[in-house]
Amino acid sequence: MDRTDIVVATWNTEWAPATGARTAAVRDRLASTAADILVVTEGRRSLLPDGGYVIDAGDDWGYGVQPNRRKVLLRSRWPLSEVYRATTGGATGRVATAIATTPEGPIRLVAVCIPWSSAHVSTGRKDATSWSEHLDCLDHLDSLAAGFDPAIPTVVAGDFNQRLPRARQPKAVAGRLVDVIGARWTIHTAGDVEHGPLIDHIASDLVCTGLNTWPGRTDEVRLSDHSGVVCRLGRPNAHRV
């Protein structure tokens, strides 16, 4: 691996419990990625590898506070600064950003768990319509991204709750995701990948030099209803020949 590369991984762990065989397997899987940047959604801090610097997006996303559960957890090998947590609308408890101070310079990290199509429709607050929370979260991300310094590379990772290219989601919803994320950054995890199509994604304005996925179950135990993914990213000029 080039010394300028960073390894980014993300996985929705579907609320793996605090103890048990499933939890041990999930924790081992996350550790095995050796990720410099790790975004875990629907998880617990105890699942993360030891060490590093950890933030989360908050404990309230409208379904009642549950100790130790977080919609979004971000772990970095490097110190984090300029931490932001969304506290309004569909992004509440689901979006966190920070700047990681890497040896090669700062990188902006955006960790997300964009709401699924029926968030707060018949559960939670019960005041939403299909896809409304999802679209509101994308609007929030759009506003955030408009203020980003283009001189700092950006990595977006987490649960996008959309398959790419479009599957069954409405065209307008798929188009909005492309407008907000796909038009700004390359979504490295889109398309035909092993254990896909994915809804946990990694996007950036860096160069993807390697990508691997893993399924949500082993021969012995079901780990999650999502596949996970790890991506190796490098700065564009670091890989020129």
Side-chain angles (χ1 to χ4, degrees):
M1 183 177 72
D2 191 292
R3 69 181 183 86
T4 62
D5 285 351
I6 65 170
V7 177
V8 180
T10 189
W11 195 19
N12 182 314
T13 59
E14 196 195 1
W15 305 125
T19 59
R22 177 186 169 204
T23 296
V26 167
R27 182 174 165 81
D28 287 348
R29 176 68 263 184
L30 290 171
S32 73
T33 66
D36 300 309
I37 303 298
L38 175 62
V39 175
V40 170
T41 56
E42 294 191 353
R44 304 170 187 270
R45 187 174 289 226
S46 59
L47 297 172
L48 303 179
D50 296 334
Y53 302 83
V54 180
I55 65 168
D56 62 57
D59 61 3
D60 185 5
W61 48 94
Y63 281 84
V65 174
Q66 301 183 52
N68 304 318
R69 285 190 174 193
R70 296 293 185 272
K71 272 290 182 180
V72 174
L73 290 151
L74 167 62
R75 178 192 179 274
S76 167
R77 184 180 303 278
W78 304 290
L80 297 171
S81 62
E82 300 182 34
V83 174
Y84 167 83
R85 297 174 179 86
T87 57
T88 59
T92 302
R94 294 173 174 270
V95 173
T97 72
I99 301 293
T101 305
T102 82
E104 300 299 321
I107 292 179
R108 177 179 292 101
L109 307 175
V110 182
V112 303
C113 186
I114 302 172
W116 74 304
S117 60
S118 295
H120 294 295
V121 175
S122 58
T123 58
R125 299 190 315 268
K126 301 181 181 181
D127 60 357
T129 58
S130 184
W131 292 105
S132 65
E133 291 287 293
H134 184 100
L135 290 169
D136 190 69
C137 186
L138 287 175
D139 288 347
H140 192 97
L141 287 169
D142 196 15
S143 296
L144 276 179
F148 288 169
D149 180 351
I152 299 177
T154 296
V155 174
V156 185
D159 183 353
F160 287 16
N161 262 310
Q162 285 200 51
R163 290 177 172 83
L164 301 166
R166 174 178 170 263
R168 296 182 178 180
Q169 66 268 43
K171 289 183 180 179
V173 173
R176 185 59 177 147
L177 182 66
V178 170
D179 289 344
V180 174
I181 297 179
R184 286 186 170 99
W185 306 291
T186 300
I187 303 176
H188 306 295
T189 45
D192 185 17
V193 300
E194 189 177 13
H195 305 120
L198 303 176
I199 62 173
D200 291 6
H201 291 286
I202 297 168
S204 79
D205 46 15
L206 301 173
V207 176
C208 178
T209 61
L211 185 149
N212 295 99
T213 63
W214 63 89
R217 65 177 305 117
T218 69
D219 292 339
E220 295 80 25
V221 63
R222 178 183 180 280
L223 304 178
S224 172
D225 57 350
H226 290 235
S227 299
V229 60
V230 58
C231 191
R232 191 167 65 247
L233 302 174
R235 295 174 188 267
N237 60 1
H239 297 279
R240 291 177 182 167
V241 177

